[in-house]
Amino acid sequence: QVQLVESGGGLVQTGGSLRLSCAASGSIQRITAMAWYRPAPGKERELVASITTAGRTNYADSVKGRFTISRDNAKNTVYLQMNSLKPEDTAVYYCNLDVVSWRGFLETYWGQGTQVTVTS
């Protein structure tokens, strides 16, 4: 099986920065897509940012220019650098990884969530 551990959340003032991390361990041959999600009105979760194996990134319009997603394949880790934070960024952030196991199966895993709170 695969375990995901998120870290980096916290309390920050408007305009501040945080860096989230999500490290995967276990039966991992390789990780394809990596992404971060957060709850949104009318949705269970909305995509915040994603990154492919090739390094192509995609961002929600609300975070473009402020957030940066990156990955370290050697460490099976995805990061989310969040700058110029706003109160509306307050949420629990979840990482999402598509993992190919050593048995050859592709499965999607979710992190436990990390709270980000931005005060005005």
Side-chain angles (χ1 to χ4, degrees):
Q1 294 302 315
V2 175
Q3 297 79 40
L4 272 58
V5 177
E6 295 187 36
S7 61
L11 179 68
V12 65
Q13 291 186 330
T14 296
S17 298
L18 286 172
R19 189 193 194 206
L20 307 183
S21 299
C22 174
S25 61
S27 177
I28 300 171
Q29 183 187 139
R30 68 182 187 276
I31 301 175
T32 57
M34 295 177 156
W36 290 93
Y37 286 78
R38 66 187 182 189
K43 305 177 184 178
E44 183 174 348
R45 292 172 186 172
E46 69 171 356
L47 177 68
V48 176
S50 64
I51 185 168
T52 68
T53 305
R56 285 190 294 271
T57 57
N58 182 47
Y59 296 93
D61 288 342
S62 60
V63 308
K64 281 180 181 176
R66 300 188 298 120
F67 291 10
T68 302
I69 189 170
S70 61
R71 60 190 290 167
D72 185 331
N73 293 326
K75 296 181 179 179
N76 290 327
T77 299
V78 61
Y79 304 96
L80 186 67
Q81 178 66 44
M82 304 186 294
N83 298 329
S84 302
L85 282 161
K86 305 175 181 180
E88 51 263 43
D89 294 319
T90 295
V92 177
Y93 286 72
Y94 298 90
C95 62
N96 174 279
L97 307 184
D98 288 338
V99 178
V100 179
S101 69
W102 287 110
R103 295 172 61 190
F105 298 124
L106 176 64
E107 296 184 85
T108 296
Y109 292 88
W110 290 92
Q112 80 278 12
T114 185
Q115 177 69 47
V116 171
T117 302
V118 185
T119 60
S120 57

